[in-house]
């Protein structure tokens, strides 16, 4: 069964540095998402992406964050000037040709800011 | 605005016993409802979904859930717990005016041998 893959599985970064989290969504999916899960808390929506542009974003997704689909397969989340509170598990997800269809999640990238 | 409440952050059941994980939602428009399971160090795996139609939905691994509009609930059940069911379970809601999912805080299920 096709999977969403995320790399790296664990990223350690110094505070203030930029980090890029990478995702390869399922190939025939058209909607892409990033979610965040701070340790012990709920999974929180960050952003959704469709047709090469952001379709929805939460209040968490401020100017520090950006997303990009640089080629036909990758979907990236860039976090600039990382802060301690950015430490979390970041999940990428994708869904097929319509919204509200089940989203398929990757295994996540654990981001640790030192 | 949409939200999800999962009552009970931790649930323990004996192997072979009924599993009941509670989920209540708040939505001003008809919701789409989902249950996901998360095993340690893994992503979220879809268990089942409700979009329209039959209110009792069956999912993988013997789980099922019933959409009760009058109670704004979507509780997850399984008649007989297996050791392999031990995991974190998340209820989520979305609506047709947007495509983000709103997740509950999760329920950690422990199965006692």
């Amino acid at each position: 069964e096709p999977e969403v893959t995320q790399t790296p599985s664990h990223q350690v970064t110094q505070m203030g540095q930029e980090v890029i989290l990478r995702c390869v969504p399922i190939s025939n999916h058209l909607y892409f998402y990033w979610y965040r899960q701070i340790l012990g808390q709920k999974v929180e929506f960050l952003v959704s992406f469709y047709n090469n542009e952001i379709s929805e974003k939460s209040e968490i997704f401020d100017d520090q964050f950006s997303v990009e689909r640089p080629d036909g397969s990758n979907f990236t989340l860039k976090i600039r000037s990382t802060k301690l509170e950015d430490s979390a598990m970041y999940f990428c997800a994708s869904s097929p040709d319509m919204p509200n269809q089940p989203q398929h999640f990757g295994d996540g990238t654990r981001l640790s800011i030192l | 605005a949409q939200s999800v409440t999962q009552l009970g952050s931790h649930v323990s059941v004996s192997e072979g016993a009924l599993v009941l994980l509670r989920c209540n939602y708040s939505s001003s428009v008809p919701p789409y409802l989902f249950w996901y399971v998360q095993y340690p160090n893994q992503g979220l795996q879809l268990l089942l979904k409700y979009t329209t139609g039959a209110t009792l939905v069956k999912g993988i691994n013997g789980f099922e859930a019933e959409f009760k509009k009058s109670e704004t609930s979507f509780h997850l059940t399984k008649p007989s717990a297996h050791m392999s069911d031990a995991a974190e379970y998340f209820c989520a809601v979305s609506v047709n005016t947007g495509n983000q999912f709103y997740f509950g805080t999760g329920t950690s299920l422990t199965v006692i041998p």
Side-chain angles (χ1 to χ4, degrees), chain A residues 18-71:
Chain A
E18 175 183 286
V19 64
I20 297 176
L21 308 183
R22 303 181 189 280
C23 170
V24 179
I26 295 174
S27 61
N28 62 346
H29 284 186
L30 301 180
Y31 288 85
F32 315 117
Y33 312 85
W34 283 103
Y35 289 83
R36 176 181 82 177
Q37 185 181 27
I38 295 172
L39 186 64
Q41 299 186 24
K42 67 170 67 177
V43 176
E44 301 173 290
F45 170 77
L46 293 178
V47 66
S48 61
F49 193 86
Y50 173 72
N51 199 26
N52 284 318
E53 61 183 22
I54 291 173
S55 56
E56 278 186 271
K57 62 180 181 179
S58 70
E59 58 189 23
I60 302 169
F61 194 87
D62 59 20
D63 292 343
Q64 184 192 5
F65 295 88
S66 62
V67 290
E68 191 177 33
R69 188 158 165 79
D71 53 43

Side-chain angles (χ1 to χ4, degrees), chain A residues 1-6 23-33 69 72-75 92-97 102-106, chain B residues 36 44 46:
Chain A
E1 184 175 332
E3 294 181 341
V4 175
T5 57
Q6 290 185 242
C23 170
V24 179
I26 295 174
S27 61
N28 62 346
H29 284 186
L30 301 180
Y31 288 85
F32 315 117
Y33 312 85
R69 188 158 165 79
S73 60
N74 289 283
F75 178 53
C92 175
S94 68
S95 63
D97 56 353
Q103 296 178 13
H104 298 253
F105 285 78
Chain B
Y36 282 85
L44 300 166
L46 179 70

Side-chain angles (χ1 to χ4, degrees), chain B residues 26-93:
Chain B
S26 171
S27 176
S28 55
V29 297
Y32 298 81
L33 296 160
F34 306 84
W35 274 99
Y36 282 85
V37 60
Q38 184 181 31
Y39 297 101
N41 301 314
Q42 295 187 24
L44 300 166
Q45 179 182 357
L46 179 70
L47 273 177
L48 48 79
K49 64 176 180 178
Y50 168 79
T51 52
T52 58
T55 56
L56 180 64
V57 293
K58 295 185 185 298
I60 63 171
N61 301 338
F63 284 93
E64 62 183 36
E66 185 171 10
F67 170 58
K68 292 187 176 181
K69 184 178 178 181
S70 62
E71 299 177 8
T72 62
S73 69
F74 191 58
H75 302 331
L76 181 71
T77 60
K78 181 174 180 177
S80 176
H82 293 173
M83 296 299 295
S84 60
D85 294 327
E88 188 88 12
Y89 291 81
F90 292 93
C91 182
V93 63

